[in-house]
Amino acid sequence: MIQFGKLNYQQLRDKFKINSPWDKVIIFILSVLFTIPIFLIGHQNLIDFNWPVQLDRILLFTLIFVIIFLILKAIRRITLISIIVYILFLIGGTVFGGYGFKSVFEDYRSMMYAMLENPNPQDLIISKLLPFPNKYKILNAIEYKNPKVRNFALMATNKHFRDVKEYKNEYFTLIQCFAVFKEINSQWNYVSDPKGSDYIATASESLEYLSGDCDDHSILMAACIRAIGGTPRLIHTKGHIYPEIYIGKKSDLEAINYLTKKVLFPNETKGKTLHYHIDERGDIWLNLDYTAKFPGGPFMSEEILGALTLQ
């Protein structure tokens, strides 16, 4: 018989055995604890079938729970060891910056919020689009390396959301880009171009009065966002140009949805839905138009003709 110090295997197994009915209670609680992180991984990586009341996700959670419950029930004699292993795993993630207690809480909260307040995809941006009008003039006008442009962006990051701690590590740059959006869109004054011409102002020129038409706003927004490490793009429709910002993949959308609506723009988003585009690579882009009061505000519902991404 295998010996462990002064205890053999049978004695060690009996030592960790938990008597009924507490073994069933602990197995149930432990099954829930194990199910949550596994479900979150599946939820973020499996196809969303968009069934009514998120029925596909409810079935997924139930299936994972039943499997884990049956496994733990089969090895109930070492339930205490399972509890210790699980807690040590989360403690390790918390201490060393991995997946810990806070990560489980934030992911689960964001997921539940997104299931109740589901963002709204508008349309799929395909790769075959028309040439972008005035492309090279616009690229030259996006002066993201201009000191005035960067200093303006820095001022915005110090003025807005500086004390936000939530999601600061993972979405630090994006939060700062949202600060730039807030500063520009809260002050932007729409002014038309000279009659009969398409005047394209540089980013530094638009800074002086925070005024201009839609392409001037888009150029300034894109320049400021790129100046602090964000990834913007410009969208061209039949009669309009507006900026968007890259936020990540579908797995990032739940966190951004919660962050935008509950932390950064709670008043502006009250009772409203986030709108976004998905391109052919599965990348998600939020609307930053001057008509939007928050990132992901409603689009102007015009057909998209071109897209200019700024890497």
Side-chain angles (χ1 to χ4, degrees):
M1 182 172 291
I2 300 175
Q3 299 285 331
F4 296 91
K6 295 183 179 180
L7 297 175
N8 59 36
Y9 173 76
Q10 182 65 39
Q11 291 172 327
L12 184 66
R13 190 177 67 176
D14 292 340
K15 186 176 182 65
F16 284 107
K17 179 181 177 182
I18 299 175
N19 296 323
S20 183
W22 292 110
D23 58 341
K24 295 182 176 61
V25 174
I26 293 176
I27 288 173
F28 178 85
I29 296 174
L30 192 60
S31 298
V32 173
L33 294 176
F34 273 116
T35 298
I36 290 174
I38 296 174
F39 168 71
L40 289 171
I41 294 172
H43 167 71
Q44 293 174 349
N45 292 280
L46 296 178
I47 296 174
D48 188 350
F49 294 104
N50 293 316
W51 289 357
V53 297
Q54 301 288 338
L55 184 59
D56 57 330
R57 269 28 191 176
I58 295 174
L59 292 175
L60 176 64
F61 185 93
T62 304
L63 177 63
I64 295 173
F65 174 82
V66 170
I67 292 174
I68 292 177
F69 183 85
L70 293 176
I71 291 175
L72 292 179
K73 187 177 180 182
I75 59 171
R76 59 184 177 276
R77 292 184 180 277
I78 56 171
T79 300
L80 184 58
I81 296 178
S82 300
I83 296 174
I84 294 173
V85 169
Y86 180 78
I87 293 176
L88 288 176
F89 170 77
L90 292 181
I91 290 175
T94 301
V95 172
F96 297 106
Y99 197 83
F101 291 104
K102 185 178 180 181
S103 301
V104 172
F105 172 74
E106 289 181 348
D107 285 348
Y108 192 71
R109 181 188 58 188
S110 298
M111 180 205 65
M112 293 303 296
Y113 184 80
M115 290 174 70
L116 296 173
E117 300 285 341
N118 201 25
N120 182 25
Q122 291 297 299
D123 44 30
L124 182 67
I125 308 301
I126 59 175
S127 56
K128 295 181 180 179
L129 296 172
L130 297 176
F132 206 89
N134 298 314
K135 176 179 177 180
Y136 295 105
K137 286 184 179 180
I138 289 175
L139 287 174
N140 290 331
I142 300 175
E143 306 166 309
Y144 66 96
K145 292 184 178 180
N146 187 300
K148 292 182 179 179
V149 174
R150 177 165 168 81
N151 286 340
F152 175 84
L154 296 180
M155 177 275 295
T157 64
N158 278 278
K159 185 176 178 181
H160 306 290
F161 313 140
R162 187 174 181 178
D163 297 328
V164 173
K165 305 297 183 183
E166 229 163 348
Y167 299 102
K168 197 79 173 182
N169 293 331
E170 191 171 1
Y171 298 110
F172 177 77
T173 299
L174 200 57
I175 292 173
Q176 292 191 324
C177 290
F178 285 179
V180 168
F181 167 89
K182 188 176 181 68
E183 181 66 17
I184 293 176
N185 277 29
S186 63
Q187 301 186 60
W188 187 259
N189 177 41
Y190 184 90
V191 178
S192 300
D193 283 340
K195 188 174 182 179
S197 66
D198 190 11
Y199 186 85
I200 296 177
T202 63
S204 57
E205 184 180 354
S206 296
L207 275 180
E208 187 170 356
Y209 295 107
L210 288 177
S211 299
D213 66 357
C214 60
D215 51 46
D216 300 329
H217 171 270
S218 298
I219 288 168
L220 177 59
M221 185 73 75
C224 290
I225 286 175
R226 197 174 181 196
I228 57 173
T231 302
R233 75 174 181 180
L234 305 186
I235 297 296
H236 168 236
T237 68
K238 187 176 181 179
H240 189 46
I241 292 178
Y242 61 90
E244 293 184 330
I245 186 169
Y246 170 71
I247 66 163
K249 300 293 185 179
K250 193 71 178 287
S251 58
D252 298 296
L253 182 59
E254 290 174 352
I256 298 305
N257 184 48
Y258 182 88
L259 182 61
T260 303
K261 298 187 69 176
K262 299 296 288 185
V263 181
L264 303 179
F265 298 88
N267 296 326
E268 296 89 341
T269 60
K270 189 174 182 179
K272 296 180 173 61
T273 300
L274 248 60
H275 298 76
Y276 62 93
H277 285 137
I278 309 175
D279 66 18
E280 66 275 12
R281 294 177 297 275
D283 294 336
I284 293 181
W285 302 81
L286 287 186
N287 176 27
L288 299 181
D289 200 356
Y290 74 90
T291 60
K293 302 301 181 185
F294 56 91
F299 296 105
M300 293 186 68
S301 300
E302 293 185 352
E303 181 185 1
I304 293 173
L305 301 178
L308 180 60
T309 302
L310 308 165
Q311 298 291 349

